[in-house]
Amino acid sequence: MTAVGTVAPEAPPRPGAGAPRPYHFPHFERRALPNGLRLVVAPVHRLPLVSVVVVVDAGAASDPAGQEGLAVLTARALVEGTATMDAVALVERVERLGSALDSGADWDAAVVSLTALAPKLAEAFEVLADVLVRPAFPVREVDRLKGERLAELLHLRSEPRGLAEEAFARAVYAGGSRYARAEAGGEASVAALTEADVRAFHAARYHPAAATVVVAGDVTADEAEALVARTLGTWGGPAAPAPAPVDAPGSATRRVHLVPKADAAQSEVRLGHVGVPRDTPDYFPLLVMNSILGGLFNSRVNMNLRERHGYTYGARSGFDWRRAAGPFSVESAVASDVTVAAAKEMLIEIDRVREESVGDDELSLATSYLDGVFPIRYETTAAIASALASAVVYGLPDDYFDAYRERVRGVTAEDVRRVAREHLRPEALQLLVVGDPAAVQGPLEALGFGPLVVHDVDAVVR
């Protein structure tokens, strides 16, 4: 405790980052079966565990128009029973094998994941193959999953943060873009989906030529190939070409979007625009730039809004990486009476990272963090399999993981400024606020940012 009238001693300088230790991502091999099914195997023999991720080109971006949510519903329904096991029997068999089985979908792919003890891999993989190729899609379970999604949307009406996420997508993307609608679908589209729709989507999109099996753990490449050939070698049929995602922006000029929520104690603020695809050649400079802007606790946005002004407990920025251009956003939750002030500070930080060179300390902090945490992300077989699955989805080169740290460390201050100027576009920013209109609508109209558009909550979740 410091006595009254005395001055606390100055904190010692932060210790410098040590030299990075060498790291190599586990070796992996790529193979292919005659039916077109691709295989990626990373033998890792530290523990008797094996993780499997089957990636299928059947993400939410391939939803047919008017059936938003179908890809996610289909992926979730895979593990609700097969031609030979109902949902209860399936769960019991997986548990008896000491395994974990799950399924889901994001924008770009559907996945079925499995982790099993190495001695039980063959039996567990048979269950995975059954789920993938011969799902039963019982009407009762499909309806239950639809009910769960509709309950989420009902909850969303009273949850400002989730409401802001859904409304921001509508504010940023053109109305005809799949990205303008919720990944798991809205009330109208989900309510209309049927078990027949799920079957038809599975028949059209789940085929070996559209799938890759990723295996990481205590298994050799030959053993994995033999197992996959035995269980999935007869899987056949051509896959329909995946539709190209539409990532067109909703507006080329600034607009303010307000989702009125009269009972909101604070405002959810989003500021951003359509970003860039994951395969951009500027990925690494953008990664470092965003870490400086709002990707780390010590980033400019968080230090400004949280530490300097006390507007919030936390603020961040980020790119949502997808095959096509996902959104870039700066976001925070702030008290209603400082909503506009917080938005102004976000704008200041975006302008500053575009106009001013970053200092050596800031650059070193960001690159050292990204470099330092990279190896510890891949300490489990599940993490290794997941990383390789991402590499499959985004077509990353085989040396991506081993070159990652070098490429992060190679980003310069000039790179950061260049990509900020090229990919952060102040003229196209969309400012979205979910908050109490009595407290924020007038100040937002007076901000001079752009025309104000008021969105109905029903339209956001519909």
Side-chain angles (χ1 to χ4, degrees):
M1 178 180 296
T2 303
V4 175
T6 63
V7 178
E10 187 174 345
R14 187 178 65 209
R21 297 180 180 179
Y23 171 78
H24 294 287
F25 190 80
H27 170 75
F28 58 92
E29 294 184 34
R30 296 179 186 268
R31 300 189 178 185
L33 270 57
N35 64 354
L37 181 63
R38 295 175 295 275
L39 177 64
V40 180
V41 185
V44 180
H45 300 291
R46 291 193 294 263
L47 293 171
L49 285 173
V50 180
S51 292
V52 180
V53 178
V54 182
V55 181
V56 184
D57 194 3
S62 57
D63 277 338
Q67 293 187 308
E68 293 82 11
L70 180 56
V72 171
L73 178 62
T74 303
R76 290 178 178 172
L78 289 172
V79 293
E80 298 298 335
T82 72
T84 57
M85 292 178 287
D86 63 18
V88 174
L90 177 60
V91 169
E92 289 178 348
R93 185 171 179 191
V94 170
E95 289 181 347
R96 280 200 303 272
L97 292 169
S99 306
L101 179 69
D102 200 5
S103 63
D106 60 17
W107 283 110
D108 294 314
V111 298
V112 181
S113 59
L114 166 76
T115 292
L117 294 168
K120 298 292 185 183
L121 176 62
E123 290 180 75
F125 200 92
E126 287 179 359
V127 177
L128 181 150
D130 210 19
V131 162
L132 182 67
V133 180
R134 292 172 289 276
F137 298 131
V139 173
R140 184 181 66 180
E141 304 301 342
V142 170
D143 287 346
R144 177 179 60 78
L145 292 171
K146 284 174 54 181
E148 290 178 0
R149 174 55 183 164
L150 293 172
E152 288 175 3
L153 291 166
L154 185 62
H155 174 71
L156 205 64
R157 290 174 175 272
S158 61
E159 204 275 293
R161 183 172 183 176
L163 206 53
E165 299 301 323
E166 304 297 354
F168 185 66
R170 288 175 177 261
V172 166
Y173 289 99
S177 170
R178 175 65 186 88
Y179 289 164
R181 303 290 183 269
E183 185 178 84
E187 289 178 343
S189 63
V190 171
L193 294 176
T194 68
E195 163 264 348
D197 295 329
V198 171
R199 289 184 185 280
F201 186 82
H202 180 268
R205 299 240 49 89
Y206 285 67
H207 288 278
T212 301
V213 180
V214 178
V215 183
D218 191 16
V219 63
T220 68
D222 288 343
E223 290 169 343
E225 182 177 359
L227 177 61
V228 174
R230 179 167 58 80
T231 52
L232 293 172
T234 59
W235 187 21
V246 176
D247 55 12
S251 174
T253 58
R254 289 184 174 189
R255 291 187 300 182
V256 180
H257 306 263
L258 173 62
V259 180
K261 196 157 192 335
D263 59 348
Q266 58 183 10
S267 297
E268 286 285 344
V269 182
R270 302 290 183 273
L271 180 66
H273 51 58
V274 174
V276 291
R278 175 60 181 84
D279 65 356
T280 172
D282 286 331
Y283 176 77
F284 286 99
L286 283 169
L287 194 64
V288 175
M289 184 278 292
N290 182 65
S291 296
I292 294 168
L293 176 64
L296 304 177
F297 182 85
N298 288 330
S299 64
R300 293 180 176 185
V301 169
N302 196 50
M303 288 296 101
N304 183 330
L305 271 68
R306 174 190 160 105
E307 301 297 321
R308 191 179 311 150
H309 289 97
Y311 290 157
T312 180
Y313 289 112
R316 62 178 297 276
S317 68
F319 290 87
D320 187 352
W321 299 112
R322 303 173 188 173
R323 283 179 177 161
F328 159 77
S329 66
V330 181
E331 61 184 65
S332 188
V334 302
S336 298
D337 62 344
V338 298
T339 299
V340 167
K344 287 180 177 177
E345 295 302 324
M346 292 177 178
L347 286 166
I348 287 172
E349 295 301 346
I350 289 175
D351 287 341
R352 194 157 74 93
V353 79
R354 294 180 78 251
E355 301 301 331
E356 301 176 5
S357 292
V358 299
D360 290 342
D361 284 353
E362 265 188 313
L363 182 63
S364 174
L365 183 65
T367 57
S368 296
Y369 174 81
L370 293 170
D371 180 345
V373 302
F374 184 75
I376 62 177
R377 294 176 180 172
Y378 307 118
E379 293 187 336
T380 67
T381 57
I384 294 167
S386 178
L388 289 170
S390 293
V392 168
V393 171
Y394 298 117
L396 304 181
D398 283 357
D399 69 346
Y400 170 80
F401 297 103
D402 280 337
Y404 178 98
R405 301 170 83 199
E406 180 182 353
R407 297 196 66 179
V408 164
R409 291 196 299 268
V411 174
T412 67
E414 181 53 35
D415 291 333
V416 169
R417 189 180 181 197
R418 176 184 63 79
V419 297
R421 293 177 69 87
E422 288 183 10
H423 298 296
L424 302 185
R425 303 189 306 280
E427 76 283 358
L429 286 169
Q430 306 298 302
L431 172 61
L432 179 130
V433 174
V434 177
D436 181 2
V440 302
Q441 184 162 349
L444 287 173
E445 289 173 335
L447 176 61
F449 182 89
L452 177 72
V453 182
V454 179
H455 299 263
D456 185 74
V457 171
D458 288 340
V460 174
V461 300
R462 189 176 302 140

